[in-house]
Amino acid sequence: MEFKQIAGSYVYRDGKISKVPSTEMEAVKSPLMGLFEKRRARNFFSFLQNWKDDDTTTQQGINLDKDSMKTVYEKFGLESGTQDFIGHAMALYLDDDYINKPARPTYERIVLYTQSMARYGKSPYIYPLYGLGELPQSFARLSAIYGGTYMLDKPIHEIVTDGDGKFVGVRSGEETVKAKQVIGDPSYFGAGAEGGKVRVVEEGKVVRAICVLKHAIPGTDESDSCQIIIPQKQVNRKNDIYIAAVSHTHNVAAKGIWIAIVSTIVETSVPERELLPGLQLLGSIHDKFVSISSLYTPTADGKSDNIFITRSYDATSHFETVVDDVQDVWQRVTGTPFSELNLKKTDVENLQE
């Protein structure tokens, strides 16, 4: 499969969207900040870019493993709005809990963002040609190469366990497929009891609006694709609002058509209204499809019964949390942290389909 770059990364502040700055020079030019704040932001990014663990002269008295991110922000005198786009549009945090935690993870997230910008240019994001459906298709092809078997269009009737509650197999109609372990999405394990045992619980809901546009999103320089993050504080919410837009450039729509997805975590009894700050940024909407889906999380790690369940897709459009979930499942299944996995390049990985 092939990927193509997302053309722009934007953040919402004070009623308008602007490109997310990721370097000293971009901070100086950014309309997100006033003159004095630009200088402070420039010093902040310079500090991050020059940091070396083995050189105390680059650390300015900061200990990333002990000092909180709040301490780092205060050292450079960054305003609340600047902290918003750094924490939510660069470090990609879902809330502000990170501010009171050690700064090391945030530093690493920001460095990853800036390195991705340096590698890809216009934005740190890439998107598969022909859409996200290419991901499971590519996985299926790769799995088949390694001996995997796919059973398509098969309803799941029962998760079969033995007398000790350990996984035995999956029953579909009169057929049962046996295995040592099962890894599955929460939708395969119901919204509550399964075989007398609660395996997943609902922890919230996500509202999404898939919008068809006949123009680029205003304020994005006619970009053929973009990601926009609306930090929670900017619209007096507890959760961010995400906008992802793609077009014919990514082979997901006809020429002259854009597909924009606006999503967030539901906080009120009128979910669609919560998307308004994002929908209003899109300009004229040709058509719109709104859906509300539950967020499920597994009640156990699966080690005791060999049933490993992932989390539901949340409102984010950058897939950071999905990657975290995949790594978490890998560690639960194998007992080895994903960071210790020795990935090897193979001919399969270099296939271009």
Side-chain angles (χ1 to χ4, degrees):
M1 64 181 295
E2 295 181 73
F3 290 85
K4 187 175 179 64
Q5 182 186 40
I6 294 295
S9 174
Y10 297 84
V11 65
Y12 177 94
R13 182 177 181 184
D14 298 332
K16 58 183 180 181
I17 59 173
S18 301
K19 190 176 184 296
V20 179
S22 60
T23 65
E24 300 172 53
M25 294 305 297
E26 288 185 357
V28 171
K29 298 177 182 178
S30 175
L32 286 168
M33 300 166 285
L35 179 61
F36 294 110
E37 183 69 358
K38 286 181 179 179
R39 181 180 301 174
R40 291 188 285 266
R42 182 190 63 189
N43 292 336
F44 172 78
F45 286 122
S46 175
F47 163 73
L48 295 182
Q49 290 167 0
N50 294 326
W51 174 278
K52 293 180 180 178
D53 284 336
D54 57 356
D55 186 354
T56 56
T57 63
T58 68
Q59 298 171 9
Q60 300 188 34
I62 292 291
N63 186 324
L64 293 180
D65 297 308
K66 293 183 178 180
D67 293 326
S68 68
M69 201 60 204
K70 180 180 180 181
T71 300
V72 178
Y73 284 149
E74 289 176 346
K75 179 175 179 62
F76 291 93
L78 297 181
E79 298 173 352
S80 176
T82 305
Q83 296 178 27
D84 269 352
F85 79 71
I86 291 173
H88 293 259
M90 295 184 70
L92 303 180
Y93 281 110
L94 306 185
D95 52 43
D96 288 337
D97 290 349
Y98 78 96
I99 290 178
N100 296 310
K101 297 178 180 179
R104 172 76 65 178
T106 304
Y107 160 76
E108 292 175 346
R109 282 169 171 251
I110 296 173
V111 169
L112 176 61
Y113 184 98
T114 56
Q115 289 177 342
S116 298
M117 281 290 294
R119 178 175 180 178
Y120 296 110
K122 296 179 181 179
S123 87
Y125 306 111
I126 55 177
Y127 190 86
L129 290 180
Y130 300 100
L132 296 175
E134 288 297 294
L135 291 173
Q137 287 190 58
S138 295
F139 177 81
R141 292 191 286 268
L142 186 60
S143 177
I145 290 174
Y146 283 96
T149 300
Y150 265 73
M151 299 175 66
L152 303 178
D153 195 26
K154 281 282 187 179
I156 303 301
H157 293 116
E158 183 186 1
I159 304 298
V160 183
T161 57
D162 62 18
D164 296 324
K166 290 185 177 295
F167 175 73
V168 172
V170 177
R171 183 176 67 82
S172 177
E174 299 300 319
E175 298 176 298
T176 298
V177 178
K178 295 184 178 181
K180 294 180 180 179
Q181 300 171 324
V182 64
I183 304 171
D185 178 273
S187 61
Y188 291 105
F189 299 91
E194 169 65 51
K197 181 177 180 179
V198 175
R199 300 194 190 280
V200 295
V201 293
E202 182 179 323
E203 61 175 15
K205 294 182 182 297
V206 176
V207 56
R208 293 184 178 88
I210 300 176
C211 304
V212 180
L213 313 178
K214 292 187 175 182
H215 55 80
I217 295 178
T220 62
D221 297 323
E222 295 297 312
S223 294
D224 55 44
S225 55
C226 68
Q227 154 120 333
I228 304 171
I229 295 179
I230 305 178
Q232 54 196 46
K233 287 183 180 178
Q234 294 294 316
V235 285
N236 298 316
R237 287 178 49 79
K238 298 177 183 177
N239 296 278
D240 296 348
I241 299 174
Y242 301 89
I243 303 173
V246 287
S247 65
H248 71 280
T249 305
H250 290 84
N251 299 336
V252 298
K255 193 168 184 178
I257 298 295
W258 280 255
I259 306 297
I261 303 174
V262 186
S263 56
T264 191
I265 300 294
V266 174
E267 297 178 6
T268 71
S269 60
V270 192
E272 187 173 349
R273 188 181 299 170
E274 299 181 46
L275 296 176
L276 279 179
L279 296 174
Q280 290 170 347
L281 295 176
L282 302 184
S284 176
I285 299 175
H286 178 69
D287 208 347
K288 179 177 63 176
F289 308 89
V290 179
S291 64
I292 300 171
S293 53
S294 296
L295 282 173
Y296 292 113
T297 186
T299 58
D301 60 17
K303 296 177 182 178
S304 63
D305 56 12
N306 292 325
I307 298 175
F308 301 94
I309 307 173
T310 61
R311 300 167 62 91
S312 300
Y313 292 116
D314 60 19
T316 60
S317 54
H318 48 61
F319 282 84
E320 183 80 6
T321 53
V322 176
V323 172
D324 290 341
D325 196 25
V326 169
Q327 294 180 355
D328 174 64
V329 171
W330 171 268
Q331 182 165 346
R332 283 191 278 144
V333 171
T334 66
T336 303
F338 191 83
S339 58
E340 297 179 10
L341 177 63
N342 184 22
L343 294 175
K344 297 180 181 180
K345 285 190 175 182
T346 66
D347 292 337
V348 175
E349 289 176 285
N350 296 322
L351 287 178
Q352 295 293 320
E353 299 178 327

